[in-house]
Amino acid sequence: MEQQKQLAGIDTAIKAATILTAVAVLGAFAWADAAENYKFDFGEGPVAAGYTQVKANTKYSDSQGFGFESGTVSSVDRLWDDDLTTDFLTAKGDMVFSVALPQGNYEVTFILGDGENESETTVWAENRKLMLDRITLAGGVFSRQTVSLRRMETRSMDGSVTMSIKDREKDYRTWDKKLTFVISGKAPAVAGIEIKRNDNVTTLWLCGNSTVVDQIMAPWAGWGQMAPGFFKSSLAIANYAESGLTASGFYSMKRLAKILSEVKKGDFVTVQFAHNDQKNQNDVNNYETTLTKYANEIKAKGAIPLFVTSTARQNETDPKTAVGGLPERMRALGKKLGVTVLDLNQHSITLGKALGGNKEKMYMYTASDKTHFCEYGAYELARANIEEIKAKVPELAKHLRDDHEAFDSSKPDPLDVLTRAKTPITDGGLIQVEPESSSSAEIAMPQSSCSAESASSGAEETEGITIVESMTPHNAISGRIDGSTLHLEGIDGGAHDISIFDLQGHRIAEFRATQGNELHITLRQGAYLVKVSQGNRPLGIFKAVRR
């Protein structure tokens, strides 16, 4: 009997241990999911359902796993009823936000916009990868901007390869355990950030040297760190380039092996080397042999190799002899192997000739450097390489942003292109008010008036607003429709408060009409409640549906 009790006790202990183990495993899976997917509501107002609040004083810590590492951040609340967009965070200068994440590809959505004023937001990631370039939005317009990028480490995800890095790289954000975003702009406004693991997106892997690398210190820049800003979220760029490397040096440090341990079928891998190879006769002698090894090993993984000819030095003007003639040898090898060649060397020469006396402004001339590029030069070269991709690699070109603009390297951008103001985006906002004068409210006297009920009777025949009806029996004002515009008539010329709600009662926007007897409001597609009041006295509530 005693032995049976002991066996029963052991059985119970085993079951308990099994349950605890199962709970621990399930907990680990839950933690992993949470660690790879985040939804952050930026601001100090109400928190949107399903989001984690990030306040201006939310500092990064390893235990928390997210927060600001630096920046003078402040919160603004426009007092709307939409919890996500009513408030946002802004800063004078940079605000640096980090999230601890496992290695892999991530889709990151930035919810941008200010409910009242124009905003301009630029986002760099990691070691100064340009992700979003001066997203400029009119007041009251919000935009969800989604990008993809890879959180990289020196050790492969399967543990089979550990690549070498130089001592100076140990301080790079590229190789830490976080994704870091540097948010800036003339008037940055971030209402939220959503992060979702997605290893199915196509990846563009970059092999190269200092003209490609994500340079850590401005104004030094490589074209590879400017390239992400030109692609949609269907593609992530993983830049493994580093200063001072030859093709053989990159290979011996197992940087290519690291890429090949994670590359997927259909991914693209660019290979650009020559500047440092030119300095060593052994690398010069073995140039074609080494590049052939790259091409064959990349193809063996089902990925697509792309040769990129190295950029010309400042005083080089002949593409056949520039950089010791190695770009010309790459052109010939690409043709022999059937590998597409993106001729960035030719574009760099064309850009230099077009810039004339300003040619040095592409390079780090302030450091008497005629090889490396400043941010302007790197930006122009990235645009030039995009044109090569469009002309020669259509499967890669399909990932370009919809707002991409064509570029001609014989007609470079102005030298101040990266600081020029952009035209505000007006689409995407929740409402737009169309003035017919300098006032946001109409000041023209109405030529005719009809009740909301009579206006709605013929509304189904009209494009734009298809329904407008009064929600109160006795309105002091009336409404009519004209195309996509809702006209509110009978305003007595005093100050009136106009509020726009969704059908759940969330206030979308509000403004004040201070002049005139008529107000015109253009609504985007959707269903709305429009409330007009004077002080605490409601004058009318209308339902408007625009299809």
Side-chain angles (χ1 to χ4, degrees):
M1 181 66 69
E2 186 63 30
Q3 186 179 18
Q4 289 179 341
K5 289 181 179 180
Q6 289 177 353
L7 290 173
I10 293 172
D11 182 60
T12 302
I14 290 173
K15 289 179 179 179
T18 302
I19 293 170
L20 289 173
T21 301
V23 170
V25 169
L26 291 172
F29 278 116
W31 176 88
D33 181 66
E36 296 181 3
N37 299 279
Y38 284 102
K39 296 173 75 173
F40 296 111
D41 184 342
F42 276 37
E44 301 188 5
V47 183
Y51 287 73
T52 298
Q53 187 172 37
V54 174
K55 297 183 178 181
N57 63 354
T58 300
K59 301 300 182 185
Y60 181 85
S61 68
D62 289 336
S63 59
Q64 182 172 257
F66 65 87
F68 290 103
E69 299 205 50
S70 64
T72 304
V73 185
S74 58
S75 179
V76 178
D77 194 339
R78 297 307 186 193
L79 302 179
W80 294 11
D81 285 343
D82 179 71
D83 291 341
L84 184 58
T85 58
T86 180
D87 53 352
F88 60 89
L89 295 180
T90 187
K92 292 183 178 180
D94 296 342
M95 48 179 167
V96 181
F97 183 75
S98 293
V99 185
L101 293 165
Q103 188 173 192
N105 283 346
Y106 291 88
E107 286 183 338
V108 184
T109 299
F110 295 85
I111 298 95
L112 306 176
D114 178 337
E116 292 185 6
N117 301 324
E118 182 178 300
S119 62
E120 182 204 276
T121 308
T122 292
V123 179
W124 302 79
E126 299 291 79
N127 245 31
R128 299 176 54 240
K129 297 177 189 285
L130 181 60
M131 306 306 299
L132 297 175
D133 179 19
R134 290 163 293 163
I135 303 299
T136 305
L137 304 170
V141 174
F142 296 91
S143 178
R144 296 176 65 88
Q145 297 279 333
T146 303
V147 299
S148 287
L149 70 164
R150 189 166 188 82
R151 224 283 285 151
M152 293 159 43
E153 291 183 12
T154 57
R155 189 181 184 191
S156 63
M157 295 175 68
D158 64 5
S160 64
V161 179
T162 300
M163 58 175 266
S164 299
I165 61 174
K166 296 185 175 184
D167 287 343
R168 66 183 170 203
E169 293 184 80
K170 293 176 182 177
D171 293 329
Y172 286 7
R173 287 176 175 150
T174 305
W175 311 118
D176 62 15
K177 305 294 184 183
K178 302 170 288 187
L179 274 185
T180 299
F181 304 101
V182 180
I183 303 165
S184 61
K186 293 179 181 177
V190 184
I193 297 178
E194 299 172 358
I195 300 174
K196 180 176 66 174
R197 178 76 175 258
N198 186 354
D199 288 324
N200 293 321
V201 301
T202 300
T203 305
L204 172 60
W205 310 80
L206 309 185
C207 309
N209 57 23
S210 55
T211 60
V212 187
V213 71
D214 294 344
Q215 294 277 9
I216 192 171
M217 184 180 298
W220 304 80
W223 68 260
Q225 72 191 108
M226 294 294 183
F230 297 100
F231 288 94
K232 296 185 289 190
S233 60
S234 57
L235 181 130
I237 293 181
N239 192 350
Y240 279 77
E242 173 52 22
S243 298
L245 295 185
T246 62
S248 61
F250 189 99
Y251 191 92
S252 66
M253 294 174 73
K254 298 186 178 180
R255 297 173 93 102
L256 179 62
K258 169 63 162 63
I259 291 172
L260 296 181
S261 71
E262 297 171 359
V263 75
K264 304 187 306 297
K265 183 178 180 180
D267 282 354
F268 298 85
V269 185
T270 65
V271 182
Q272 179 188 318
F273 296 101
H275 291 101
N276 300 300
D277 304 68
Q278 181 193 12
K279 303 171 186 177
N280 184 289
Q281 192 58 46
N282 189 56
D283 286 314
V284 171
N285 294 340
N286 294 307
Y287 191 65
E288 284 88 349
T289 300
T290 306
L291 293 184
T292 300
K293 184 163 53 176
Y294 273 76
N296 290 340
E297 293 187 15
I298 292 166
K299 288 179 179 178
K301 289 290 186 176
I304 299 95
L306 301 171
F307 286 165
V308 182
T309 57
S310 291
T311 53
R313 292 189 171 91
Q314 186 174 323
N315 296 322
E316 295 176 328
T317 58
D318 185 349
K320 292 185 178 180
T321 59
V323 201
L326 293 180
E328 180 68 1
R329 289 166 62 177
M330 177 180 271
R331 295 182 187 103
L333 180 64
K335 186 175 182 180
K336 177 182 176 182
L337 298 177
V339 173
T340 299
V341 178
L342 307 179
D343 203 346
L344 202 53
N345 176 265
Q346 178 63 69
H347 280 283
S348 64
I349 291 173
T350 303
L351 281 164
K353 290 178 178 178
L355 286 166
N358 286 321
K359 179 179 182 177
E360 67 172 8
K361 299 297 178 65
M362 287 176 58
Y363 297 85
M364 282 298 302
Y365 69 96
T366 55
S368 301
D369 188 320
K370 301 183 188 326
T371 300
H372 300 97
F373 297 96
C374 64
E375 289 174 338
Y376 169 73
Y379 185 80
E380 296 298 277
L381 290 166
R383 294 198 68 189
N385 218 22
I386 294 302
E387 292 305 310
E388 287 287 287
I389 289 169
K390 288 165 60 179
K392 300 175 180 178
V393 197
E395 282 301 302
L396 180 54
K398 72 182 183 180
H399 298 287
L400 290 170
R401 285 176 61 102
D402 295 334
D403 58 2
H404 161 73
E405 296 179 356
F407 180 69
D408 184 347
S409 56
S410 68
K411 299 175 182 178
D413 289 315
L415 297 176
D416 63 348
V417 63
L418 285 169
T419 58
R420 286 197 166 199
K422 286 192 171 184
T423 303
I425 298 170
T426 55
D427 266 352
L430 296 170
I431 69 159
Q432 297 173 8
V433 179
E434 289 187 344
E436 292 181 3
S437 68
S438 58
S439 170
S440 61
E442 294 297 327
I443 59 174
M445 292 293 291
Q447 296 180 356
S448 62
S449 176
C450 61
S451 68
E453 289 78 10
S454 62
S456 64
S457 63
E460 299 299 329
E461 302 295 324
T462 309
E463 294 183 358
I465 293 180
T466 54
I467 299 174
V468 57
E469 59 181 332
S470 172
M471 305 299 290
T472 51
H474 301 290
N475 282 340
I477 58 173
S478 59
R480 62 182 178 85
I481 60 172
D482 180 12
S484 62
T485 303
L486 169 65
H487 300 257
L488 300 177
E489 301 171 332
I491 296 175
D492 63 12
H496 290 72
D497 295 310
I498 314 297
S499 299
I500 314 293
F501 299 85
D502 62 23
L503 296 188
Q504 286 71 47
H506 297 131
R507 183 183 289 111
I508 297 171
E510 61 182 348
F511 49 91
R512 174 161 288 194
T514 56
Q515 301 179 34
N517 297 83
E518 182 174 332
L519 182 70
H520 299 180
I521 305 172
T522 300
L523 297 174
R524 293 180 57 78
Q525 289 183 342
Y528 306 92
L529 295 175
V530 181
K531 177 182 177 182
V532 184
S533 58
Q534 197 167 42
N536 295 324
R537 183 167 64 97
L539 301 180
I541 299 175
F542 297 87
K543 178 183 178 182
V545 179
R546 180 179 174 187
R547 297 197 175 97

